Amino acid sequence: MRAEALALVLVLSASQGVAQDRPADRPMSAIDWLSDSVATPASVPAGPLTQAEPGVTTGASIEAVTVAPLGRTVPDAVGILPVSVTGLPRGLWGASRPDDLALRIREERADMLPAMQQQLYSLLLAELDPAEAVGATGYTVFLARVDKLLELGALDQAEALLERAGPENPEIFRRWFDTALLLGHEDRLCDILRATPELSPTFPARIFCLARGGDWNAAALTLETGRALGFISPEDDALLARFLDPELFEGEPALPRPNRPSPLTFRMFEAIGEPIPTTTLPLAFAQSDLRANIGWKARVEAAERLARTGAVTENQLLGLYNERQAAASGGIWDRIDALQALDQAIGANNSNAISEALPAAWRAMAEGETEVPFARVYGKKLAGRSLHPNSTALALRLGLLSDDYEEIAGAAQPVDAFERLLVGVAQGDVTGLSAPNGPARAVLDGFTATEAPIRLRSLLESDRLGEAILRAMSMFNDGTRGDLDEVSDALALFRAVGLEDTARRAALEYLILDRRG
């Protein structure tokens, strides 16, 4: 027992020493709320969570080197969507520098139109060859992709990528660890931490995992060791002590809530019965509110936040809206009532009731900025119905925001210049159409362009197609806020490189949804 305890102290001292060498003001990643769960590994004796074989040293690691078993694909090449699904060429990144790609990925906004979100997800999740730049580490672009997924709240997708990349790299593991914490999969990651000697867990992570594994004595010993060595902050000490033995602190005042908790801190506050509300936290934390043990209202609110970034499906969102009857009025309750009224009218096949319910449902979804998930569920169901004039116009717009936009456009009977433009854009043919306003003119200019815009042509000519697409996405997002030339050039680029579906969806959403300014 003394030998194990001594080995434990040595392991912890070494790993924490490495962590302490990192300047406190230097962020480890663009996601500044990640848990400091692992440090760069050092050559130390094995302990309870580092089960290296006797006599075998793990060696010292250099942070810029990726360590992986022979035959494993480098992280930058990891994806979960094959080219047959994305339609993207495997050599999309071409001659781009990984640092440039990572910067462009991190600069993409989260609050973009759904068509841009969908294109971004394709880029983040695609199986692509790594960039060809000399000296690439093999995980620079991968970390940027995962960080963007975390920013969007897309934890299931991030976890799938992280699992395929493997846990050997500390910066990859810490993202996986935090993703698992927010999804409720932490026990599995603690098992991986025990079985991966390349990783050196920090004190809080080690204590948490020992406790989750039922080894409370080792967790308490580790806490005492951390205190003695000065490697646990007063705030972490107070939280860990309550986490390990909450009964000792019954009747004590609640701990101060941190403004920017890490997922590990967040889960330990939850464990001691002092949960931190997620509404002011980064979007990824909202995923924890989707768990079955959370109240219905909190789950619906979390689903709405995540639906705005495409991090939950339309069926998840609408399923929560319909789970039960609204308990009050105002805000989210009114949205639930409006959606359920339309759903019941459609179920009864009552055209008059649909005509009365649809405007209220549309206003409710617009208030929550969830019109596109709404349209994907109801657009085709409403297409072709005989409704009141105002509801007929709304039904057409819903249909054009759905996945069946081209089919619905083919059967539509537009009544004015704007509807004719919408139908033409949905079918990819704007010949002879007029533009009733500035945004419509920007769309027409983009759809009548015959080649890629000059400002993006150099990227295409230098084998940097992926960069060109990312740049066009940023231009479109900025353009929807006022610079109409950027809207036109972005649409022209998408069409020039074969992203016709992205161009049509983006143009339709830009013209129909009120997201400008």
Side-chain angles (χ1 to χ4, degrees), residues 252-483:
E252 294 286 330
L255 292 176
R257 288 176 175 172
N259 293 325
R260 196 74 165 175
S262 71
L264 184 56
T265 299
F266 175 82
R267 286 304 305 276
M268 286 196 288
F269 264 90
E270 182 181 68
I272 65 174
E274 299 176 21
I276 302 173
T278 66
T279 51
T280 60
L281 299 181
L283 188 56
F285 288 79
Q287 283 279 358
S288 66
D289 283 342
L290 296 181
R291 291 172 294 167
N293 62 328
I294 303 297
W296 179 45
K297 182 173 182 287
R299 283 187 286 131
V300 176
E301 290 173 337
E304 283 191 333
R305 291 181 66 197
L306 293 164
R308 293 183 195 120
T309 63
V312 299
T313 68
E314 58 272 14
N315 289 326
Q316 286 178 279
L317 176 63
L318 273 297
L320 282 169
Y321 277 144
N322 283 303
E323 187 173 298
R324 62 187 75 170
Q325 296 297 311
S329 60
I332 196 169
W333 302 118
D334 288 347
R335 293 198 288 279
I336 290 170
D337 277 338
L339 190 283
Q340 290 182 357
L342 177 62
D343 200 56
Q344 291 167 8
I346 293 174
N349 199 27
N350 186 327
S351 293
N352 286 332
I354 294 172
S355 293
E356 293 176 3
L358 181 54
W362 173 261
R363 288 192 299 270
M365 296 304 105
E367 180 182 288
E369 294 190 356
T370 55
E371 303 101 320
V372 172
F374 175 58
R376 287 174 180 158
V377 174
Y378 293 102
K380 192 167 185 177
K381 295 178 180 179
L382 294 170
R385 288 181 179 269
S386 178
L387 305 174
H388 301 166
N390 184 40
S391 293
T392 297
L394 287 179
L396 174 60
R397 284 154 177 75
L398 277 172
L400 295 178
L401 292 173
S402 74
D403 293 339
D404 303 289
Y405 65 87
E406 189 170 8
E407 176 188 342
I408 290 170
Q413 296 179 336
V415 299
D416 56 30
F418 183 65
E419 286 192 356
R420 284 191 289 274
L421 176 61
L422 293 178
V423 169
V425 168
Q427 295 178 308
D429 183 3
V430 296
T431 305
L433 298 178
S434 60
N437 54 40
R441 169 52 57 189
V443 169
L444 273 182
D445 288 346
F447 271 69
T448 54
T450 57
E451 57 184 351
I454 293 175
R455 64 172 117 184
L456 297 176
R457 212 171 295 164
S458 62
L459 290 174
L460 298 178
E461 293 170 351
S462 57
D463 190 23
R464 295 154 67 190
L465 173 59
E467 271 192 84
I469 294 172
L470 287 166
R471 175 71 181 116
M473 292 171 62
S474 294
M475 288 168 52
F476 186 84
N477 296 331
D478 293 341
T480 58
R481 291 163 173 80
D483 191 335

Side-chain angles (χ1 to χ4, degrees), residues 162-205:
L162 292 161
E163 185 170 0
R164 290 200 174 192
E168 288 79 12
N169 180 285
E171 285 300 294
I172 292 176
F173 180 83
R174 66 197 296 260
R175 287 158 173 80
W176 193 3
F177 186 74
D178 279 359
T179 301
L181 285 168
L182 294 175
L183 289 173
H185 303 165
E186 63 274 5
D187 289 346
R188 182 186 172 208
L189 266 291
C190 286
D191 291 341
I192 291 174
L193 192 60
R194 293 185 186 93
T196 309
E198 294 89 350
L199 301 171
S200 296
T202 54
F203 273 89

Side-chain angles (χ1 to χ4, degrees), residues 8-22 36-42 44 200-207 222 225-227 229-233 236:
L8 174 63
V9 172
L10 291 172
V11 171
L12 290 167
S13 300
S15 66
Q16 293 297 315
V18 174
Q20 293 296 318
D21 288 340
R22 185 182 301 113
D36 193 13
S37 54
V38 290
T40 303
V44 294
S200 296
T202 54
F203 273 89
R206 179 181 290 269
I207 293 166
T222 304
T225 302
R227 287 173 181 157
L229 296 175
F231 289 144
I232 294 181
S233 69
D236 283 344

